Amino acid sequence: MSGKVFEQPLRIRWNHCDPAGIVYHPQYFVMLNNAMEDFFRECAGLSYEESLVEGYGFPIAGIRCDFCAPSRCGDDCVLRMWIESIGTTSVRFAMTIHAGDECRLACIETAVCAAREGDAVVKRPIPGEMRGRLEEYLKAPEVPELALRA
């Protein structure tokens, strides 16, 4: 475990904002999904497209999110992502978006390794090589879990 943190610059764009000029909250979920897609491609070694070929993926089974402060068009932010825990079939991701020192969003997402079996979607163990890559982003034990108000 190295406690790596995936970081990605994020500029708040006009299409993210509502008529008041602040991020319309569902747009944050699009930003988080884009970052998750990049994380899996760059860090876990499997793009979403490749996962279809392999026959499994990581759908989101749960999400908790705090909108800490408004973001406005033109803000330059940083999205950070790390892993709080890894189970046999699931991964608990922590994500934040900051502008400078100000936290704009804090989020926990649980993704489950799953495959289709006929019409059903069933859990499956996280493949060993991918598990090793994911564990590089597992927080160190002394680092507290991301605290959320929600």
Side-chain angles (χ1 to χ4, degrees), residues 69-80:
S71 294
R72 293 177 170 74
C73 186
D75 287 354
D76 286 317
C77 299
V78 175
L79 184 144
R80 293 182 181 95

Side-chain angles (χ1 to χ4, degrees), residues 24-101:
Y24 179 50
H25 71 279
Q27 290 295 333
Y28 276 122
F29 295 111
V30 173
M31 295 175 210
L32 295 173
N33 188 71
N34 290 341
M36 184 73 74
E37 185 174 344
D38 292 342
F39 173 85
F40 270 95
R41 181 185 307 103
E42 296 170 25
C43 304
L46 186 72
S47 71
Y48 280 8
E49 299 85 0
E50 292 166 334
S51 74
L52 293 174
V53 173
E54 295 293 324
Y56 69 96
F58 284 85
I60 302 304
I63 189 166
R64 291 180 53 215
C65 190
D66 285 348
F67 304 101
C68 305
S71 294
R72 293 177 170 74
C73 186
D75 287 354
D76 286 317
C77 299
V78 175
L79 184 144
R80 293 182 181 95
M81 180 186 312
W82 62 94
I83 294 174
E84 293 211 332
S85 63
I86 301 175
T88 303
T89 61
S90 65
V91 183
R92 180 181 162 121
F93 289 92
M95 293 173 265
T96 62
I97 296 176
H98 282 79
D101 291 333

